[in-house]
Amino acid sequence: MAYFDAASAVPLHPVARQALLASVDEGWADPARLYREGRKARMLLDAAREAAAEAVGCRADEVVFTSSGTRAVHTGVAGALAGRRRVGRHLIVSAVEHSSVLHSAEVWEADGGTVTQVPVNRAGAVDPAGYAAALREDTALAVLQSANHEVGTVQPVAEVAEVCRAAGVPLLVDAAQSLGWGPVGGDWSLLTASAHKWGGPSGVGLLAVRKGARFAVQGPVDERESGRAPGFENIPAIVAAVASLRAVRAEAAQEAVRLRELTERIRARVPRLVPDVEVVGDPERRLPGIVTFSCLYVDGEALLHELDREGFSVSSGSSCTSSTLTPSHVLKAMGVLSEGNVRVSLPAGAAEEDVERFLEVLPGAVAGVREKLGAPAAPAAQEGPGEVLVDSLGKRCPIPVIELAKVFGQVPVGGTVRVLSDDEAARLDIPAWCEMRGQEYVGEEPADRGAAYVVRRLN
């Protein structure tokens, strides 16, 4: 089985496994106690904190360990906002942040705060000018991921940090996806990360709060981890997490070159091997191991099952693979095709032969799914009335787009197709189909149920 979902979680690094087993016998005691066993545990915890600080690029007393990356985000956002409550109650985030950040923003808004979402371009990157425009006198905190978890686009953190610093606003960076590849540059104020992203044990998060950043712990205050992460520290897991971070960092430069070549191979060859595919994310400013593409006329869940049967573990941001039946907020913010979405995220050590086999298997898997869904093989040649109505109410991704494609050739140049749909994905995928096909997306009109999406034939 080829595991191509490293952006979700990475198998335990061999160094982490060794460190975990070695520290189980030494790090079980309470590090707050003064007797011998407590001192041994404290030495392990202090050494791990020093090593983590070195990897992050901050002081050891600025680092605390949490129970997860999500907990680090929630604690960091809440503490930074509370610490600057006298300044105001305005929070800035990008539209493509991890759900943990967006959930924190929802809680803040429900409590009376205000939130501005900075849009991204079609490659998934923010413009620092967007953050500059969003800053206000009452802005308490800005948040930006270092790199996107779904499409791999690297964000201009240093430039955004400079804009925020000039305005006196702290910037929290979610570095979960990138910290294993290197430190985050720029004058950020807070940083979060998650160990299972770089081969450490799950259940270990990291929160760095630089000196000078106002921070007020929310909830009951514990005497552990500077009061910022309550509960008994899982010292063996923390030691293993930091050991794996140092290990992957030592290999990062060389491995990044190799993985970039493999992902570039996928980016270049998938559109040649599979018709009607959109490769998404920035082609240059991206993480080494992530490549994402979307396939027209494909049910994402069905495609993932086909690839799983062929021995490949990949993930998807398609609405037809989610319980909410809505497309990924990242793909939606980028304005790219969401149906048939596949994210390939290669772990360190991914074999070239597995990548080649994936490229061999993919065309057949996509073709099989399209055939089952009755996707059009080629545009119809006949011409009929000037407007065609397609009723796709009650039908889910990718059926509305398939039905659009089947009838589109029936209208003359200048004619329109009106697609009725109550599927949220249609709002994203029909305009994306128009851009891929060189046709005009006229717009969305209200309907008794759902909406009517109007497309005009240009050629």
Side-chain angles (χ1 to χ4, degrees):
M1 192 77 179
Y3 180 75
F4 285 177
D5 195 23
S8 294
V10 177
L12 199 63
H13 194 285
V15 170
R17 187 182 302 276
Q18 294 171 5
L20 183 66
L21 294 175
S23 56
V24 162
D25 292 332
E26 298 290 335
W28 55 269
D30 187 344
R33 302 306 177 197
L34 298 179
Y35 43 71
R36 180 183 303 172
E37 294 84 358
R39 294 197 304 271
K40 287 182 179 179
R42 169 57 65 180
M43 288 175 64
L44 288 173
L45 183 58
D46 288 347
R49 201 183 312 278
E50 289 279 356
E54 182 181 0
V56 170
C58 65
R59 293 168 38 162
D61 59 354
E62 295 172 337
V63 173
V64 299
F65 297 106
T66 65
S67 58
S68 68
T70 294
R71 172 52 58 194
V73 166
H74 292 171
T75 300
V77 170
L81 287 170
R84 285 173 51 83
R85 58 187 177 275
R86 292 184 180 179
V87 173
R89 305 204 68 199
H90 179 229
L91 169 66
I92 302 174
V93 301
S94 84
V96 294
E97 294 299 317
H98 187 267
S99 59
S100 60
V101 171
L102 299 183
H103 291 160
S104 288
E106 289 171 2
V107 170
W108 180 247
E109 206 164 21
D111 194 39
T114 57
V115 178
T116 297
Q117 280 198 9
V118 177
V120 297
N121 60 22
R122 197 170 175 83
V126 302
D127 185 342
Y131 271 76
L135 289 166
R136 309 187 323 208
E137 288 187 2
D138 64 339
T139 301
L141 177 68
V143 182
L144 178 63
Q145 60 191 192
S146 56
N148 187 260
H149 49 292
E150 290 195 27
V151 300
T153 298
V154 173
Q155 302 290 0
V157 171
E159 294 89 335
V160 171
E162 184 177 354
V163 166
C164 292
R165 180 66 64 179
V169 174
L171 176 68
L172 184 152
V173 178
D174 173 13
Q177 287 296 335
S178 74
L179 194 62
W181 295 108
V184 177
D187 199 6
W188 48 265
S189 299
L190 302 95
L191 180 142
T192 62
S194 186
H196 73 275
K197 301 288 189 179
W198 64 68
S202 58
V204 179
L206 182 150
L207 169 63
V209 182
R210 279 179 165 160
K211 297 297 180 185
R214 293 185 177 275
F215 194 92
V217 178
Q218 299 302 285
V221 177
D222 199 314
E223 68 275 10
R224 300 180 186 278
E225 295 300 301
S226 303
R228 294 171 182 171
F232 198 99
E233 298 94 340
N234 186 345
I235 295 176
I238 290 171
V239 170
V242 177
S244 62
L245 179 58
R246 296 185 68 179
V248 298
R249 280 285 193 84
E251 307 158 353
Q254 183 176 355
E255 187 63 12
V257 172
R258 198 181 69 86
L259 290 186
R260 282 190 190 280
E261 193 280 326
L262 293 176
T263 52
E264 186 56 42
R265 191 180 306 185
I266 298 172
R267 288 181 66 90
R269 287 174 57 184
V270 164
R272 297 202 298 263
L273 294 168
V274 182
D276 299 319
V277 164
E278 181 178 15
V279 181
V280 301
D282 195 293
E284 302 294 335
R285 289 177 57 90
R286 58 188 175 87
L287 291 175
I290 297 180
V291 56
T292 306
F293 55 89
S294 299
C295 308
L296 268 176
Y297 318 132
V298 169
D299 179 302
E301 185 172 3
L303 180 55
L304 262 58
H305 284 317
E306 287 294 326
L307 292 171
D308 183 57
R309 277 193 284 270
E310 294 289 349
F312 294 97
S313 301
V314 297
S315 63
S316 173
S318 293
S319 60
C320 37
T321 60
S322 69
S323 58
T324 61
L325 297 179
T326 58
S328 147
H329 71 279
V330 172
L331 301 178
K332 187 174 181 179
M334 293 167 63
V336 298
L337 182 69
S338 76
E339 64 186 51
N341 179 260
V342 174
R343 180 187 68 184
V344 174
S345 48
L346 304 177
E352 180 181 2
E353 311 87 78
D354 287 338
V355 171
E356 285 296 328
R357 192 167 64 85
F358 175 79
L359 292 170
E360 291 175 7
V361 164
L362 181 67
V366 173
V369 173
R370 284 174 172 167
E371 183 178 4
K372 290 176 184 177
L373 292 171
Q382 67 207 51
E383 288 195 357
E387 179 169 293
V388 172
L389 179 67
V390 174
D391 186 350
S392 289
L393 292 170
K395 300 174 182 178
R396 299 301 176 194
C397 156
I399 301 302
V401 177
I402 289 177
E403 294 186 340
L404 163 65
K406 283 182 174 180
V407 304
F408 195 73
Q410 299 175 17
V411 300
V413 173
T416 58
V417 176
R418 191 176 303 269
V419 183
L420 295 177
S421 177
D422 52 3
D423 180 14
E424 178 67 23
R427 182 173 284 112
L428 184 62
D429 290 345
I430 290 176
W433 181 90
C434 292
E435 181 158 337
M436 294 175 72
R437 284 285 179 269
Q439 309 299 341
E440 180 186 358
Y441 177 62
V442 177
E444 177 183 340
E445 298 177 354
D448 291 338
R449 285 179 56 200
Y453 302 94
V454 184
V455 177
R456 179 175 287 112
R457 182 175 176 181
L458 298 181
N459 52 61

